[in-house]
Amino acid sequence: MKNANETKFVAAIDTSTDMLACTVARIDGADGSIDVLASGDHLCRRHANVELIDTLDAMLARAGVAREQLDAYVVGRGPGSFTGVRIGISTAKGLAYGANAPLYGTSTLDASAWTAWLAGVRGLLGVAADAMRGEVYPALYRLDDAGVCRLFDRERVVKAAVAVEEWAGRADAAELQLTGDGLVRYGDRFEEAGLTSCIDRSLWWPSGEGLLRAWRVGAENADDVAGYGDPALVLPIYTRLSDAEENERKRLGLAQSEQSQTTGVADELAGRHLQFRPMGPADAEAAADLERSCFADAAHAPWSAAQFLEELSPSAAVPRSWWVAHDDGELVGYAGGMVVEHEVEILDVAVVSERRREGIARKLLAHVSYDAQMLGCTTASLEVEAGNSPAIALYEALGFARVGVRPGYYGHGVDAAIMKAELPLVLPVDAASPEPTAAVVRAWPLAEPERTDEETAELARRRLVLAIESSCDETAAAIIDVEGNMLANQVSTQIDFHARFGGVVPEIASRKHVEAIVGVIDAALEEAGHALGLSGGTVAPAELAAIGVTQGPGLVGALVVGVAFAKGMAYAANVPLIAVNHLEGHLFANLLAQPDLKPPFIFTLVSGGHTMLVHVRDWGDYRVLGETLDDAVGEAFDKVAKALGLGYPGGPIISRLAETGDPKAIEFPRALNRKGDYRFSLSGLKTAVVNYIEQETAAGRTIHVPDLAASFEAAVFDVQYKKAWAALRETGAREYCIGGGVAANPHLRKMMMKKLGRQGVRVTLPPQGACTDNAAMIAEVARRKFERGEFSPLNIDADPNMTL
Ligand code: KG4
Ligand code: ZN
């Protein structure tokens, strides 16, 4: 913190439980005492995103503190309800980012313990916080007059019955007093086991003041930790992997061959490009081969296949994480580590020699350390031969520092260097790369930019609108000026994290948004600073004129991250908020290519979630002529690709394959082909394709995948063309445009251009890069709403079911 002796104003928030905790306090500069000025803690089930900013605003008013006066924010990092934790953290990140103030995270369980302490509770305290699905987060504390002392190492999740048994079996069980919102559901079970002493029910949830206390205790040791206070680095406390990841671990542990997941046709195509996935037993032989070739000259013995298998065994004593990189079905690298307390010990990293310059090791380590973080690790360590300078250089670049040597560890005269790093590892913020990104450690708050008078005037004249998009698996930010000049356009895709599951996993998507959002916005503000030639560099949040954000439709857990962040940022930077409909974004992407596009016209929306034919009578006046009755077009591409074992997302892979295929080779059905029917149905086509694959495979025939891809595309696009043309004729519109991820498909683009062009219709296509999800299209919508003064209140929530 800037000046330790200054009195500071701090706001603390936590929405990890049903309690919306929100407290504004003054921290005395001399003795660090906490003086609560206003507290709006209240139970607010599932409404945190609606009420949080308004509550904070009311508390600041009651405290007589202006938002600009806040010196810092404190947020509860859970563990708790996944969505709840994310709302609190995302809002807090936005607030701190918008205010250029530090953000400090603290454990919600610690806050609960301090809440009890503040009420006078002393002695042995058990916090049983509700983790849903029959589980609790159990946490034991010793409370005395001096304060609260943790009796556990890291947060964890267990079945309620396990917590009951553990605590009832303690020698000091009679002393134990209980608290935590888990008692609402499981209080009876604790009672039946003889644990009858509960503190007053009104104290079962964390309070804002409890958060502040918990933070102050941690802060004494953390003040000089690098990056402390940077909102980019504050992440939820997770105690388990997502369900999808957990299931995958189990599945891999069953020694099932990786090959069996893909159909026989996939061989030539499986993993056409570099992919990452967790190591499975089927990889053990290849890993041992690679290990032998990599460490041929090393002083230590290479790992054997049996050793790899042992690592992967589900009965391993401590959690492990092993990842492989593969390309064209061949193993090109792997890395693994084991979790010991708060630390992941990196056990092995290897990459084939021909591919050492592609950052593969870095990505592998990123995956392993990410898993480790999810399993509660805060640091990573490894040992490396002291003479292996290329490896040491790589590790140093990732943030590892030498902390010691083990003389002769790798044999006579060959020392091991012991290296350690804080998690997350230092990875370059590369918005275009699908690897996990973590902000480089930097001083926070940022220095205020220095501006010349002309620059200040120019910024004011331009009126910059920042747009944020987080509806699915891309975290994106763009900055546009009021005249429509796109000054920044950043997208961070998570595809790599979802590809191994054959589709987007919602829980992983929202985790990734929380991790990526600050870095992506940083990059956008910096890009805009460059575009404007600002001598003082990056644009500051307060220099924006408005903030737009995708409100829906999309995955609710993903949307809330963007919406909560945008609201927090808009509030702290004191600029208006603009809610944007994602579907309207896909439509407005056309304006990026053709600014004079004017209604009336016909618009086809084909994305991963939507298939619609729309008569745009005016901007904002949309008549949906027809929608899909089942799968969306993009979804059908993804499902067909999955059936062929081609990976995710299917659209780009299938369109690449279709290039060399014959669209007339296989006759697939065209659904709802009746005149005047604008509805779509794709599940029949998908089934026909899957049946075809099964039939041919069973008959022992080789499938010509390019022909299949081209014929599938033809069936889809044929229907799209016919219905679009019918709608144009019926409405008399002379203009046509298209949007959504599938609009990136070159065959669809070419076909519409040619066939509708021939009919005298002007066809507009969005820029290829603006078809799949991006924030530039959101910015275009936001800019126009900005001009009309269409702002949103700060109590809006994400709306996953929004329509056009
Ligand atoms: O608009 P989008 O990025 O996300 C949603 O809002 O749903 O669309 C993603 C969808 C995916 O299903 C993907 O397979 C599809 O767009 N897609 C394509 C192509 N590129 C992406 N489909 C066909 N051909 C492509 N080249
Ligand atoms: Zn989309």
Side-chain angles (χ1 to χ4, degrees):
M1 297 186 101
K2 287 171 253 172
N3 183 345
N5 286 326
E6 241 169 75
T7 296
K8 294 182 187 71
F9 294 112
V10 183
I13 61 176
D14 187 344
T15 58
S16 310
T17 67
D18 285 346
M19 178 65 70
L20 188 164
C22 178
T23 294
V24 174
R26 181 173 43 216
I27 312 278
D28 189 288
D31 62 5
S33 63
I34 297 167
D35 182 9
V36 171
L37 302 176
S39 188
D41 299 356
H42 66 282
L43 284 170
C44 142
R45 203 173 143 61
R46 294 184 178 274
H47 273 92
N49 209 13
V50 173
E51 295 183 21
L52 186 51
I53 298 281
D54 284 350
T55 305
L56 173 63
D57 192 51
M59 289 314 110
L60 285 171
R62 197 189 290 170
V65 176
R67 66 187 89 169
E68 295 78 18
Q69 283 177 280
L70 282 175
D71 297 286
Y73 292 88
V74 175
V75 67
R77 299 167 54 219
S81 135
F82 289 174
T83 305
V85 174
R86 275 195 281 270
I87 288 169
I89 291 213
S90 304
T91 307
K93 278 176 183 263
L95 286 165
Y97 196 83
N100 190 29
L103 173 65
Y104 304 108
T106 192
S107 158
T108 300
L109 299 177
D110 291 357
S112 285
W114 277 102
T115 303
W117 185 89
L118 286 162
V121 175
R122 298 292 181 268
L124 188 64
L125 179 73
V127 179
D130 195 350
M132 310 293 165
R133 304 190 288 192
E135 295 179 319
V136 295
Y137 306 109
L140 278 180
Y141 298 86
R142 167 80 54 195
L143 278 53
D144 59 26
D145 287 342
V148 166
C149 181
R150 266 186 180 218
L151 301 181
F152 63 99
D153 230 10
R154 69 168 196 248
E155 289 78 359
R156 64 196 181 112
V157 65
V158 297
K159 290 262 169 261
V162 172
V164 170
E165 198 180 317
E166 269 182 22
W167 288 356
R170 289 179 65 94
D172 52 8
E175 292 173 41
L176 186 61
Q177 304 170 80
L178 301 182
T179 185
D181 63 344
L183 297 179
V184 175
R185 231 181 277 235
Y186 312 111
D188 296 354
R189 302 214 204 155
F190 285 100
E191 203 175 328
E192 280 158 25
L195 298 166
T196 52
S197 168
C198 294
I199 69 169
D200 190 80
R201 189 186 168 106
S202 65
L203 301 168
W204 288 359
W205 289 266
S207 66
E209 190 179 1
L211 276 171
L212 288 165
R213 293 276 174 168
W215 160 60
R216 288 307 296 165
V217 171
E220 277 157 27
N221 311 321
D223 263 348
D224 52 352
V225 170
Y228 189 58
D230 184 344
L233 300 184
V234 177
L235 294 175
I237 294 174
Y238 291 122
T239 51
R240 58 181 162 216
L241 297 170
S242 70
D243 287 350
E245 290 165 313
E246 206 56 76
N247 290 336
E248 184 185 40
R249 274 169 166 266
K250 287 195 194 115
R251 185 174 53 72
L252 290 173
L254 294 176
Q256 202 188 55
S257 157
E258 269 300 315
Q259 240 60 50
S260 67
Q261 287 175 66
T262 52
T263 63
V265 295
D267 283 355
E268 41 163 328
L269 302 157
R272 281 162 70 99
H273 59 83
L274 187 62
Q275 292 191 337
F276 296 83
R277 59 167 167 74
M279 186 187 280
D283 297 311
E285 286 293 342
D289 286 347
L290 177 53
E291 172 89 1
R292 263 192 305 278
S293 74
C294 283
F295 297 105
D297 309 329
H300 67 281
W303 288 54
S304 66
Q307 279 171 300
F308 282 111
L309 283 174
E310 220 168 279
E311 282 296 309
L312 299 169
S313 148
S315 55
V318 295
R320 307 288 214 271
S321 168
W322 282 85
W323 281 74
V324 298
H326 60 109
D327 203 344
D328 266 325
E330 213 164 294
L331 192 83
V332 295
Y334 55 81
M338 75 179 173
V339 173
V340 180
E341 301 290 318
H342 285 292
E343 188 159 289
V344 54
E345 292 177 11
I346 304 294
L347 298 169
D348 200 357
V349 189
V351 175
V352 286
S353 55
E354 313 87 78
R355 315 262 327 232
R356 296 234 168 106
R357 302 238 149 262
E358 297 173 33
I360 294 173
R362 199 158 45 90
K363 290 189 183 186
L364 285 164
L365 283 171
H367 282 291
V368 170
S369 66
Y370 180 77
D371 280 354
Q373 257 187 295
M374 292 300 124
L375 294 166
C377 293
T378 52
T379 54
S381 69
L382 54 82
E383 277 154 20
V384 54
E385 283 187 22
N388 186 350
S389 41
I392 289 177
L394 164 73
Y395 298 138
E396 280 173 348
L398 290 168
F400 282 89
R402 272 191 224 223
V403 292
V405 267
R406 252 179 242 268
Y409 182 74
Y410 289 117
H412 184 69
V414 188
D415 300 344
I418 306 169
M419 303 185 80
K420 231 187 230 282
E422 299 277 330
L423 295 180
L425 296 181
V426 179
L427 300 162
V429 182
D430 173 2
S433 133
E435 66 192 276
T437 52
V440 179
V441 174
R442 59 181 166 180
W444 187 271
L446 301 175
E448 294 291 337
E450 282 174 26
R451 301 277 185 247
T452 63
D453 291 349
E454 295 82 62
E455 285 175 339
T456 309
E458 176 69 358
L459 281 164
R461 188 188 68 75
R462 292 260 191 172
R463 286 178 293 166
L464 306 181
V465 178
L466 166 72
I468 301 170
E469 152 67 36
S470 74
S471 67
C472 192
D473 60 345
E474 335 272 353
T475 321
I479 296 173
I480 197 167
D481 71 12
V482 79
E483 285 161 8
N485 300 301
M486 198 65 66
L487 301 171
N489 185 9
Q490 296 282 336
V491 187
S492 164
T493 174
Q494 318 168 346
I495 282 175
D496 222 33
F497 288 87
H498 301 285
R500 60 191 163 114
F501 302 109
V504 176
V505 181
E507 169 57 19
I508 297 177
S510 39
R511 286 186 186 195
K512 293 285 153 197
H513 287 306
V514 176
E515 288 161 31
I517 196 157
V518 169
V520 170
I521 293 171
D522 274 341
L525 291 170
E526 201 176 317
E527 190 187 344
H530 282 299
L532 293 169
L534 297 174
S535 52
T538 187
V539 173
E543 291 171 329
L544 297 169
I547 297 173
V549 66
T550 301
Q551 186 182 11
L555 301 169
V556 65
L559 288 164
V560 292
V561 175
V563 170
F565 186 95
K567 292 199 299 178
M569 186 172 169
Y571 179 76
N574 216 343
V575 298
L577 178 77
I578 301 168
V580 175
N581 182 325
H582 181 83
L583 303 181
E584 213 171 15
H586 278 306
L587 167 61
F588 278 50
N590 286 282
L591 290 166
L592 303 174
Q594 192 76 262
D596 66 351
L597 175 69
K598 278 202 185 63
F601 57 80
I602 295 294
F603 168 55
T604 294
L605 173 60
V606 272
S607 70
H610 290 82
T611 301
M612 285 180 164
L613 191 62
V614 187
H615 183 203
V616 177
R617 293 184 288 205
D618 200 351
W619 296 118
D621 179 7
Y622 308 120
R623 188 160 73 96
V624 178
L625 302 172
E627 290 188 71
T628 179
L629 301 176
D630 36 61
D631 293 347
V633 171
E635 196 178 355
F637 271 85
D638 296 337
K639 286 182 175 171
V640 166
K642 193 173 181 177
L644 286 167
L646 299 179
Y648 173 87
I653 308 174
I654 289 188
S655 66
R656 221 182 311 138
L657 286 166
E659 272 161 31
T660 56
D662 173 8
K664 298 206 178 74
I666 310 160
E667 183 65 25
F668 287 123
R670 274 79 166 148
L672 303 174
N673 223 352
R674 229 166 16 87
K675 203 165 159 268
D677 191 345
Y678 293 121
R679 298 169 307 163
F680 301 89
S681 169
L682 286 124
S683 70
L685 170 59
K686 178 207 65 198
T687 309
V689 175
V690 172
N691 286 346
Y692 176 86
I693 298 170
E694 280 171 5
Q695 204 181 54
E696 296 296 296
T697 310
R701 285 191 288 269
T702 320
I703 293 172
H704 194 279
V705 183
D707 280 354
L708 176 75
S711 302
F712 164 72
E713 276 197 350
V716 176
F717 297 160
D718 214 23
V719 176
Q720 290 298 328
Y721 163 72
K722 287 208 177 100
K723 290 187 196 262
W725 175 225
L728 282 156
R729 267 181 312 179
E730 191 193 310
T731 58
R734 307 302 303 154
E735 293 225 33
Y736 172 81
C737 65
I738 190 163
V742 184
N745 186 292
H747 308 113
L748 179 61
R749 294 166 75 92
K750 229 179 280 159
M751 182 196 74
M752 290 296 190
M753 264 303 189
K754 202 169 105 198
K755 288 192 168 180
L756 291 178
R758 241 188 345 235
Q759 313 278 8
V761 175
R762 183 171 85 150
V763 176
T764 297
L765 302 168
Q768 188 114 20
C771 292
T772 47
D773 290 347
N774 64 88
M777 66 187 197
I778 306 300
E780 182 61 30
V781 181
R783 171 179 80 91
R784 286 163 185 256
K785 286 191 154 189
F786 177 72
E787 280 187 307
R788 294 195 298 269
E790 278 178 45
F791 303 135
S792 297
L794 296 178
N795 62 2
I796 59 160
D797 202 351
D799 181 356
N801 303 315
M802 233 171 173
T803 52
L804 254 189

